[in-house]
Amino acid sequence: MNEKILAAGSRDEFGTRLLQKQKISQKISEILNAAEFTPISTPLIERASTFERMEADDVFHLYDEVGDNLVLRPDLTLPIARFLAVNRQQRNFEKLYYIGDVFRRTAYLSGAYNQETQAGIELIGDASFQAEITALDTMLTFAAAFEIENVQVVLSDARFIDAVLASLDIGLELQRALKTAIQQKNISEFERVRRLIPDFPPLLAKWPLAFGEPGEALMWQLRDLPVVHDIVAGWLKLAEYTHNKYPNVAVTIDLAATSPQPYYTGTIIRGFVPSLGQYLFSGGRYDYLLENFKQEALPAVGMGLDIETILAAWQPVPTENEHQPIVMVLAKGRVEADARPLLQAAGIDTSELEHPARKLIFDSQDGKYRFILVKPSDVVKYLDRGIGDVGIVGSDTIAEEIQAHYDVLDLQTGLAEFVVAAPVGADFNAPHRKRIATKYPKVTTEYFSGLGEDVELIKLDGSVELAPLTGLADAIVDITQTGNTLRENQLEIIEHVRPVATHLLVRSGALLQFQVELSRVISNLNNILQQQSEDTL
């Protein structure tokens, strides 16, 4: 084994790129020192208990010489909270700033980097709304200093969705289902649940897509919704301040936004750069900063600045077209063939896909779209690495991937289902630990875990039907459409796991970058699918 090879997800930095990062860090320090912020630096390695509120799968774990659980820090705010909890005499530090690296695990062999440099500010102990204004003003000062002109301020609030849902006369189960659909911008699931609620607010009929231009109009209309009056009043203050001091900066809201971290409690502020499809800054209010450390609540507002976005703005990728096309990544074969007429009906020119020959990249004749044909298992990678904006692939493939994108629509094509199948006549309920062969370990694990059943998984890449016939496994979890292949191999369906269909995915940044066009297409597709559903009744 070559010991000189880097670990997956890591990289060396040197030369021009490193010099640019050093200049960025120096400029940030100069601005914040002049504004009387106090610098703080925390260790790369922290106790795992510092990050109890974060997803365990995101964290790199280490162990010290006595076996204590340590982590490479995945976040820079919680270490500052830990510092404040143990240094009570330092509470006079009301304005802190940091520049440092964070480490987050990425999907194996995804091509994504697990180490990035962040800068940020923390306004400690200020419960007034002036803290939000100061934080936003500081971030827009950075945008101007680094000559990033086309920043769009996107406002949301960690309380908004829960506040509205709690005001509806629905049970907790419907609330949870609706919240998940809204945050994931899943139009198909949102529409299904919304129809079950007779008094759903008309203003929020398109809630998952209430951002960008529609979101800006809704900000004024929502003032009349009593349950969120105070939240909306805060947004309007930030909008007024921004328009007065930064007249060229657009302000909008995202009513379906999720919190950047689980400890957020109020206003969330992001700065989006449409030309890059990336966020420049992100943060907001968290008034229970010390709660994780068994201390009294401490109000705070924090904002993080993405140095990678600044670098991207300084090194723009040249494009052939003056207007950047929307890149649609489609799974080759039946998925693409079934999706093509739907896309055409929704107003997308797909004529170049009708005679593909051996080509894999196509541009629509109107220049709005670029189509890339790939294997199904590669669709999500192209989206999550920022190459693609929209993806179309089967939900079986999606189910095995990390969800770093929005699953927007069930296109109701490629219909099939996951099933548990075993040899005809076999006693599947015999009292022993079952061996299950599958190509889909994540789906299988989730299914049997939900049943509270412990099974032994066997991952296969070939014909899983052979496993129970040869004694390798007791049963299989696989996809079937007609059941013919199962019957031909003397297998029968024992349990139905979940349906499978082709889905439309959208990269999170693309929804704002191409908001008008993608909202139009998604709305058209949704109307087409609803009409098809009604016609079959």
Side-chain angles (χ1 to χ4, degrees):
M1 182 176 179
N2 190 340
E3 299 296 334
K4 297 180 182 178
I5 295 177
L6 286 172
S10 61
R11 62 181 169 186
D12 295 313
E13 291 189 311
F14 66 98
T16 302
R17 177 184 172 83
L18 186 55
L19 284 172
Q20 288 181 328
K21 287 186 73 170
Q22 290 173 343
K23 290 178 181 178
I24 292 170
S25 297
Q26 182 178 355
K27 187 70 172 178
I28 292 170
S29 296
E30 290 174 354
I31 291 172
L32 293 176
N33 288 337
E36 297 184 341
F37 280 79
T38 301
I40 182 171
S41 177
T42 59
L44 289 174
I45 299 175
E46 294 267 359
R47 291 188 180 275
S49 57
T50 302
F51 302 96
E52 286 177 345
R53 280 182 268 182
M54 298 192 70
E55 293 287 341
D57 291 343
D58 292 342
V59 179
F60 285 101
H61 286 270
L62 308 167
Y63 297 92
D64 65 12
E65 64 275 8
V66 295
D68 282 348
N69 191 3
L70 308 176
V71 299
L72 291 176
R73 64 183 182 203
D75 172 84
L76 281 158
T77 294
L78 290 174
I80 292 175
R82 186 260 311 147
F83 169 84
L84 292 171
V86 299
N87 293 276
R88 299 176 64 89
Q89 71 278 11
Q90 304 295 346
R91 288 292 187 86
N92 58 318
F93 286 170
E94 296 180 349
K95 297 167 63 178
L96 302 174
Y97 81 88
Y98 57 81
I99 302 173
D101 288 351
V102 295
F103 300 82
R104 298 191 182 109
R105 290 173 60 182
T106 57
Y108 184 59
L109 299 181
S110 66
Y113 295 113
N114 50 40
Q115 178 180 353
E116 61 181 39
T117 305
Q118 290 185 351
I121 62 171
E122 303 288 345
L123 301 170
I124 308 296
D126 190 348
S128 74
F129 202 77
Q130 183 58 42
E132 278 89 339
I133 292 174
T134 299
L136 175 58
D137 183 57
T138 303
M139 292 298 113
L140 292 177
T141 298
F142 287 135
F146 294 117
E147 299 180 346
I148 302 175
E149 298 176 352
N150 62 333
V151 178
Q152 183 182 73
V153 173
V154 184
L155 305 174
S156 51
D157 196 289
R159 302 163 295 177
F160 184 88
I161 296 176
D162 288 337
V164 175
L165 294 184
S167 71
L168 302 178
D169 187 19
I170 57 176
L172 290 177
E173 186 176 345
L174 272 184
Q175 286 189 35
R176 284 192 292 266
L178 199 55
K179 182 176 181 177
T180 299
I182 292 165
Q183 291 181 327
Q184 294 179 352
K185 292 182 170 57
N186 188 324
I187 306 300
S188 300
E189 182 65 10
F190 173 77
E191 290 290 347
R192 183 191 72 80
V193 179
R194 184 177 69 87
R195 292 192 191 100
L196 302 175
I197 305 171
D199 298 322
F200 194 84
L203 273 176
L204 299 173
K206 296 184 178 180
W207 196 342
L209 296 181
F211 58 90
E213 292 182 5
E216 190 165 5
L218 274 175
M219 180 164 57
W220 296 93
Q221 299 172 30
L222 286 168
R223 289 179 301 173
D224 299 327
L225 201 60
V227 70
V228 293
H229 179 271
D230 291 346
I231 292 173
V232 177
W235 290 343
L236 292 173
K237 285 181 183 178
L238 289 169
E240 181 182 14
Y241 179 85
T242 302
H243 291 321
N244 288 338
K245 188 169 181 181
Y246 304 93
N248 295 325
V249 175
V251 180
T252 185
I253 57 174
D254 185 350
L255 302 187
T258 58
S259 297
Q261 297 295 350
Y263 48 76
Y264 279 69
T265 62
T267 307
I268 298 169
I269 305 169
R270 293 179 172 96
F272 187 72
V273 185
S275 61
L276 299 174
Q278 299 177 22
Y279 288 96
L280 174 64
F281 55 82
S282 177
R285 177 166 287 281
Y286 24 87
D287 281 344
Y288 301 101
L289 186 60
L290 299 188
E291 186 180 47
N292 203 46
F293 304 96
K294 310 298 187 236
Q295 301 280 340
E296 71 274 16
L298 180 66
V301 171
M303 297 290 292
L305 184 68
D306 194 324
I307 290 177
E308 294 297 325
T309 301
I310 298 172
L311 285 169
W314 286 4
Q315 300 172 328
V317 177
T319 58
E320 298 176 6
N321 302 329
E322 181 180 351
H323 301 289
Q324 187 175 349
I326 298 171
V327 178
M328 184 173 290
V329 186
L330 302 102
K332 291 190 293 185
R334 183 173 177 178
V335 167
E336 179 271 325
D338 288 346
R340 198 188 314 144
L342 276 175
L343 297 175
Q344 188 77 38
I348 297 177
D349 177 11
T350 61
S351 57
E352 292 297 315
L353 290 170
E354 294 174 5
H355 306 287
R358 293 182 178 272
K359 289 177 62 179
L360 297 174
I361 299 179
F362 310 81
D363 286 336
S364 62
Q365 293 183 5
D366 58 12
K368 288 184 179 179
Y369 286 85
R370 174 166 294 161
F371 305 100
I372 302 178
L373 302 182
V374 302
K375 288 185 176 181
S377 58
D378 293 338
V379 171
V380 170
K381 291 183 177 66
Y382 276 81
L383 251 63
D384 293 345
R385 291 296 295 132
I387 305 301
D389 301 306
V390 179
I392 297 181
V393 69
S395 60
D396 55 319
T397 300
I398 301 166
E400 291 294 311
E401 300 287 345
I402 294 174
Q403 304 301 304
H405 46 263
Y406 295 126
D407 186 347
V408 176
L409 277 176
D410 177 350
L411 297 179
Q412 301 171 23
T413 61
L415 299 177
E417 64 174 335
F418 280 111
V419 298
V420 180
V424 174
D427 184 6
F428 187 66
N429 294 317
H432 66 274
R433 189 181 188 221
K434 301 177 183 67
R435 293 168 298 156
I436 308 296
T438 185
K439 298 177 184 176
Y440 305 96
K442 186 177 177 183
V443 169
T444 305
T445 298
E446 289 176 355
Y447 177 70
F448 283 103
S449 295
L451 296 177
E453 188 171 352
D454 178 29
V455 299
E456 180 181 351
L457 294 189
I458 301 172
K459 173 70 164 64
L460 295 179
D461 295 318
S463 300
V464 293
E465 297 86 2
L466 284 172
L469 303 180
T470 59
L472 180 63
D474 298 305
I476 65 173
V477 169
D478 203 11
I479 296 172
T480 184
Q481 286 183 307
T482 63
N484 290 338
T485 302
L486 297 177
R487 286 188 290 271
E488 289 171 0
N489 288 281
Q490 292 78 53
L491 300 176
E492 63 180 348
I493 296 174
I494 304 298
E495 297 170 7
H496 298 270
V497 177
R498 68 164 75 165
V500 171
T502 301
H503 283 212
L504 181 132
L505 312 177
V506 183
R507 178 176 59 82
S508 59
L511 272 175
L512 272 173
Q513 187 176 12
F514 305 107
Q515 189 266 332
V516 174
E517 172 65 11
L518 288 182
S519 291
R520 179 187 70 83
V521 168
I522 291 168
S523 179
N524 288 347
L525 284 171
N526 187 48
N527 291 337
I528 292 167
L529 294 169
Q530 287 188 26
Q531 186 61 53
Q532 288 179 351
S533 179
E534 292 172 4
D535 291 345
T536 58
L537 295 177

